[in-house]
Structures are given as C-alpha cells and as structure tokens.
Amino acid sequence: MSFLAARRRHPAARALLLLLALFVMGALSTLLAPGQQSSADTGTSQQVAEGKALFAVGCGSCHGLNGEGQVTSTIQGPPLAGVGAASVEFQVGSGRMPMAAPAAQAPVHPVRYSEAEIAALAAYVATLGPGPAIPAPEEYNTAGVSQEDIARGGELFRTNCSACHNFEGAGGALPGGKYAPSLKNSSNLHIYEAMVTGPQQMPVFNDDVLRPEDKKAIIAYLNDLHSRPNQGGLDLGGLGPVSEGLWAWIIGIGGLIAFAVWIASKGVKAK
Ligand code: HEC
Ligand code: HEC
C-alpha cells in the first residue's frame, strides 16, 4: 500500500508543480497586463481628461457637466451616454455643436474646435457609454470603387435617402421648421457618421440595414454626383422638373406681359 501510495504521489506532485507553475505565470501575467495597458493608455486617459475639461467649459451648460443631459437651461441638450464618439465628431466637426441659440435644429456654423480637441471630446463622451466609434479611413475612402458599385450606391441612395435629401442630394424641408441639408459639401467621414449616428430626424442606418460596403457605395455615388460636370443651362439647384417648369412659366408669361404692356404704351404715344 505504502509503495503504491508513494508511486501515486510522485506523478500527482508533478502535476501539482505544473499547476503551481501555471498559476504563478497566470498571476504574473495578470499583474503585468494592467501595468502594460495603463502605460499604453496614458495617452488616451490624458485625452479623456482633456476632453472632460473641454466638455465642462463648452458643452456642460446644456448637456450637464457629466453629459447626463440638462433640463434647467433654456436650451435642453440631450443626455450623451451612448451617442458614441462618431456622434461627437459629426456634431462638433460639422459645426453644429456647440449650439449657440435655441433653434428647431442646430444650425451649421464654422467649426470651433481643433481636430485634437474634437478627438478629446469624442474620447471623453465615448467613456459615458458604448456607441458608434469614429470610422477608420478605409471605411469611407472610396478610392478604387467600381462603376457598378457607384450605380448600386445610386440605387441605395434613391431608396434610403432621397425622400429627405432629394434625388440630387440637394436637401429639402421637413415638418416643424426642420430640414434635411444639402449633401453637396459633406465630407466622406461626415456622410458615414451621419448614417451610423442618425442626427435629428434622420434614421440610424446600422450595418444590418446598410452593410459597410453599401455605405461606401453611397458615399462614392454622392462624390460622383457632385463631381459631375454641369450638363449646361441653369440647373436651378437641381430642384426637379416642377420648379424648372414654374421658372419657365414665370419668365415666359412674364415676358409676354411685359411685351404687351410695351406695345400698349407705344400705341398710346402714337395717338
Ligand atoms: C446651447 C446648448 C448646447 C451646447 C453649448 C452644446 N450642445 Fe450639443 N446639443 C444641444 C441640443 C439642443 C441638441 C439636440 C438638437 C439637435 O440635434 O439639433 C444637441 C445635440 C448634441 C449631440 C447629438 C446627440 C445625439 O443624440 O446624437 C451631440 C453629440 C452633442 N450635442 C455634443 C455636444 C458637444 C460635444 C458640445 C460642446 C462642444 C455641445 N454639444 C454643446 C445643445 C447644446
Ligand atoms: C427621414 C429623413 C432622412 C433620411 C431618410 C435621411 N436623412 Fe440624412 N439627414 C436628415 C436630417 C434632418 C439631417 C440634419 C440633421 C441635423 O442637422 O442635425 C440629415 C443630415 C445628413 C448629413 C449631414 C450633412 C452635413 O451637414 O454634412 C448627411 C451626410 C446625411 N444626412 C446623409 C444621409 C444619407 C446618406 C441617407 C441615406 C442612407 C440619409 N441621410 C437619409 C434627414 C434624413
């Protein structure tokens, strides 16, 4: 018995030693890992701290000092937990935020923050709750997109976007003094961010609705649309056949009336 026990203890002890070694290694790596992470994170946590400070000064009056939303100020900023870095980059980078005065919809004004400051504000708001991240350049760069993709982007645009933004992306009015803006000067980044964050009345087009390659096709289509040379003649803002017909009518009939008045006045003088 004792012989057997000794024989059995031996491999058991070895297994125990192995387990102990694994445990020590595991403990060491968990001890080391946060150390490594925090040293790699110092840039980011510094950025978050910088963003928090900028936020307190420029945004807290409406959004609450911790982005919890404000109900006491005259302009009630919504809570920002979960809107994501992409929403901050879109809102601040397009000049909508910080809002200056009450309005049905934040108007676009010159951008008030540097790129680094916007990144810091975005990093801070991203810590408030999970939300869409700022897309990477390869997600919205359209270099090398094929003509077929551009055509597909046009179809996707007409199905998903033209109801508000018009067939040529010229924009249009919405109820309640709101409007869908023209997309002529929107950057690729802002088109992508608008789709993933859905500002104001705009729906969110997540990746189940429009896959990343669909979003890229739409961006490529808009770029193509807005770089197309004018076909000649006045495009009247691309507002479509109704307004163009109305314009022709006003000029045509207006011209005839003016001509008639002119003839009549001649007639009077000849008497
Ligand atoms: C004067 C008040 C005011 C200030 C200052 C202000 N905001 Fe806003 N913000 C609003 C209002 C009101 C809305 C919602 C209206 C809209 O979307 O047009 C809004 C919307 C937003 C949104 C969109 C939220 C969403 O649901 O997607 C973000 C992001 C945002 N603000 C960030 C900021 C940041 C960052 C700053 C500071 C640089 C800032 N705001 C300063 C009033 C303000
Ligand atoms: C229900 C109406 C609606 C639909 C559908 C819609 N949008 Fe919008 N979109 C809006 C509104 C409203 C705004 C302005 C939000 C604001 O000012 O806060 C906007 C803003 C934008 C902007 C920002 C423009 C700028 O200032 O640079 C882009 C880009 C955009 N939309 C693209 C799209 C694309 C692409 C689609 C289709 C996939 C789409 N939108 C579908 C209503 C809509």
Side-chain angles (χ1 to χ4, degrees), residues 30-55:
T30 41
L31 271 178
L32 281 175
Q36 277 171 345
Q37 214 169 24
S38 68
S39 70
D41 269 353
T42 37
T44 318
S45 57
Q46 217 174 345
Q47 204 182 24
V48 169
E50 194 190 314
K52 192 172 162 62
L54 286 168
F55 191 89

Side-chain angles (χ1 to χ4, degrees), residues 245-267:
L246 186 71
W247 204 232
W249 200 83
I250 289 170
I251 290 181
I253 299 290
L256 284 176
I257 291 172
F259 189 60
V261 168
W262 178 73
I263 286 179
S265 67
K266 278 256 166 187

Side-chain angles (χ1 to χ4, degrees), residues 15 21-22 33 64 73 85 101 114 122 153-154 163-164 177-178 182-183 202 205 213 216 223 227 257 260:
L22 278 174
S73 74
S114 72
C164 296
K178 300 185 175 189
S182 161
L183 305 181
M202 183 165 156
F205 295 91
E213 59 266 37
K216 191 181 265 198
N223 287 344
S227 65
I257 291 172

Side-chain angles (χ1 to χ4, degrees), residues 90-115:
F90 173 77
Q91 297 285 345
V92 183
S94 70
R96 285 178 170 79
M97 290 292 138
M99 217 171 156
Q105 183 168 338
V108 168
H109 49 59
V111 178
R112 305 256 171 92
Y113 291 86
S114 72
E115 258 178 59

